[in-house]
Amino acid sequence: MNTKGLKFKALDICYILMMVLPVLAAIVIKILYTPASNDIAIVGALIFFTIPMPLQDFPVTESQINSLFVLIAIFGLCLYLTHGIRAGVKTKRQLIAEWIVESVQNMVKENMGEYFSGFAPFVTSILALSAFSSLITLFGLYAPTSDLNVVAGWALIVFILITYYKMKCGPLHYIKSFGDPVPFLSPLNIISEVATPVSMAFRHYGNVLSGYVISVLLATALQGLSSLVFGFLPGFLADIPVFRVGIPAVLSIYFDIFSGCLQAYIFAILTMLYVASGFPADDYEKRRLKKLQKKAMAQTNK
């Protein structure tokens, strides 16, 4: 018996379970906490419980729990794709992993340049987290991207990165940049700076939420149409929502799959463009050369 082969398969099963079990757990929790109702309702994330805090109670919501489960599932997927990678041996999962890495690296180089080549893992994380957070609606779960608090948190992290790279030439250079091209435009530039994370958050959140709302409204309309057309049938046959079979699934191809992946791509692209465009590359290079010259002169004087 090949012990090494058994260990490899056992680890593969563990990684697959890491992808599957979080989704099943989220479904079970949703069933247990969702109140029984015969109507279709458009509601926000469920509040599972609240943790008492000194200033304000901290609610643990469906968005937070689903985000955690998505992270665990993505981690399991990463472990599965990279399990058993060896030089000179090409497997299907290795080819998929290499294609993902190379695609994101090329995208980062095209949009940000060589200086930001190390941003590829961060951009991959944004793409995966955003896309999978939207795709879990295929399992009837609440998408964390439909919660403004979640997406605003991502936008805030991006805003911190943008500010960090804008301040690469020092705080004074960053403050002076608000006066470009003319000083009297400073108030508008400050408003534009603050509006960046706000627009990113509302764009992502609004598009995902609107798709969810439209899907629910269409499902409700199809249920009413089924009752109207087949209401004359006897017994339980009149209650079967015939038009809700198949049609919502076709609509979800756009609202859940295409739109969710598209918004993840747009959020990642905006992250790269904002960070790269905010970085004063020329001024930073001049400042770096001056520091090197001063260091060289100091060593020469010694």
Side-chain angles (χ1 to χ4, degrees):
M1 185 177 294
N2 191 347
T3 307
K4 186 177 180 180
L6 288 176
K7 289 181 180 179
F8 188 89
K9 291 180 180 178
L11 281 174
D12 269 356
I13 293 172
C14 291
Y15 298 148
I16 293 171
L17 289 176
M18 283 183 67
M19 293 183 276
V20 175
L21 290 181
V23 177
L24 295 177
I27 293 173
V28 171
I29 292 174
K30 184 176 180 64
I31 293 172
L32 293 176
Y33 278 88
T34 302
S37 175
N38 294 325
D39 299 325
I40 297 176
I42 300 175
V43 295
L46 296 173
I47 298 177
F48 295 139
F49 57 91
T50 303
I51 302 174
M53 301 292 286
L55 297 178
Q56 185 177 357
D57 291 343
F58 180 76
V60 177
T61 68
E62 192 176 8
S63 300
Q64 297 163 337
I65 298 298
N66 287 352
S67 294
L68 176 61
F69 286 151
V70 168
L71 286 172
I72 296 172
I74 292 174
F75 183 51
L77 177 61
C78 293
L79 292 175
Y80 178 78
L81 291 177
T82 56
H83 184 214
I85 286 183
R86 291 178 296 171
V89 179
K90 296 290 185 180
T91 60
K92 290 182 180 179
R93 72 178 74 180
Q94 182 172 344
L95 292 174
I96 293 172
E98 290 178 355
W99 174 79
I100 293 172
V101 171
E102 291 174 359
S103 298
V104 177
Q105 285 179 342
N106 292 333
M107 186 168 63
V108 170
K109 289 179 181 178
E110 289 174 3
N111 292 282
M112 303 184 77
E114 288 290 338
Y115 180 83
F116 292 96
S117 58
F119 252 68
F122 179 73
V123 174
T124 306
S125 301
I126 291 177
L127 283 168
L129 182 58
S130 178
F132 282 100
S133 294
S134 299
L135 290 175
I136 63 172
T137 54
L138 296 173
F139 301 97
L141 299 172
Y142 184 83
T145 45
S146 296
D147 192 331
L148 181 59
N149 298 295
V150 174
V151 185
W154 302 350
L156 183 60
I157 293 173
V158 173
F159 178 69
I160 293 171
L161 282 173
I162 295 170
T163 306
Y164 170 77
Y165 279 98
K166 281 187 175 182
M167 295 181 68
K168 274 287 190 175
C169 291
L172 186 60
H173 184 278
Y174 173 67
I175 295 171
K176 286 181 178 179
S177 66
F178 289 110
D180 293 334
V182 286
F184 70 83
L185 290 178
S186 297
L188 293 178
N189 290 331
I190 293 172
I191 293 173
S192 175
E193 189 80 0
V194 177
T196 297
V198 176
S199 63
M200 290 184 69
F202 275 95
R203 181 185 290 107
H204 198 326
Y205 153 78
N207 281 283
V208 175
L209 181 64
S210 62
Y212 167 73
V213 171
I214 291 171
S215 297
V216 173
L217 291 176
L218 285 173
T220 306
L222 290 172
Q223 182 177 3
L225 183 62
S226 298
S227 300
L228 181 64
V229 175
F230 301 102
F232 66 91
L233 295 175
F236 71 94
L237 295 177
D239 298 328
I240 298 176
V242 178
F243 291 116
R244 284 185 63 186
V245 178
I247 298 177
V250 175
L251 295 174
S252 71
I253 294 176
Y254 174 78
F255 291 118
D256 295 331
I257 300 176
F258 176 74
S259 180
C261 294
L262 178 63
Q263 293 309 315
Y265 177 76
I266 291 174
F267 193 89
I269 288 291
L270 290 176
T271 298
M272 291 186 286
L273 294 179
Y274 282 138
V275 172
S277 62
F279 175 59
D282 295 336
D283 294 338
Y284 178 76
E285 186 63 21
K286 291 178 182 178
R287 187 181 183 187
R288 189 181 67 85
L289 291 175
K290 284 183 180 180
K291 286 183 177 180
L292 290 175
Q293 289 174 358
K294 287 181 180 179
K295 188 176 180 180
M297 290 176 62
Q299 290 179 350
T300 302
N301 294 332
K302 290 180 180 180

